[in-house]
Amino acid sequence: MNPLAIFSGPYALLAKWGVIALLAAAIGGYGWVKGNQHGTEKLTEYQGKQATESLKVITRQGDATERIVTKYLDRVKLVQGATTTIQTEVTKYVDSKPLALACLLDNRWVRLHDAAAAGTVPAAASAADDAAGTLSAAAALPTVTQNYAAGNRNADRLEALQVWVTEQYRASTGKTLGAP
């Protein structure tokens, strides 16, 4: 039987439309496959660019972190050395003048100092505040020195954190923090 014979006779029109539909489906399928392949290539390319940019940002953030932590640790060593020196000098001073520093601090001074160290509002003054307390100036001096050292450590820690946040923002966005 001749395969082209199907295009003649009573089913000729149906056969022609069937062939056209098959060709249209084949062309459509080919286009869909190629379009999907193109989209996948574009997506892969975009993801590669994003991964490269992310790696650059992570590298810049890591560099900033390393630089700031190194600077902070150097500052901690400097402050610790100064604190140790001051505490040594305070001890020498107190030991060299025991009679001159033997005076007792009044209760108000002790109460105000304790409130300042705790970060609280001191209670109202009373008549008992004027009386001499049991704490000598020599005994208070090391505590005051330690409080200042702790305050300096906290200030350095906060400053390093602020610099770190600013640098992380700059590394990830390329902008300065607070700038439009």
Side-chain angles (χ1 to χ4, degrees), residues 5-16:
I6 195 165
F7 292 113
S8 61
Y11 299 107
L13 186 60
L14 183 62
K16 289 177 187 176

Side-chain angles (χ1 to χ4, degrees), residues 72-133:
Y72 172 72
L73 291 176
D74 290 345
R75 176 74 179 146
V76 165
K77 288 177 187 174
L78 180 72
V79 169
Q80 184 59 40
T83 300
T84 302
T85 301
I86 291 168
Q87 287 175 337
T88 302
E89 292 299 316
V90 164
T91 303
K92 284 181 193 176
Y93 178 74
V94 168
D95 290 343
S96 70
K97 302 186 183 321
L99 295 177
L101 294 176
C103 68
L104 297 177
L105 299 170
D106 63 28
N107 290 329
R108 183 175 184 195
W109 187 95
V110 173
R111 186 176 49 77
L112 291 174
H113 175 268
D114 290 348
T120 60
V121 176
S126 67
D129 280 345
D130 294 332

Side-chain angles (χ1 to χ4, degrees), residues 68 155-168 177:
I68 292 164
D156 291 340
R157 193 175 299 134
L158 176 60
E159 182 180 338
L161 177 61
Q162 289 170 333
V163 171
W164 182 81
V165 167
T166 301
E167 290 296 320
Q168 293 301 307
L177 194 61

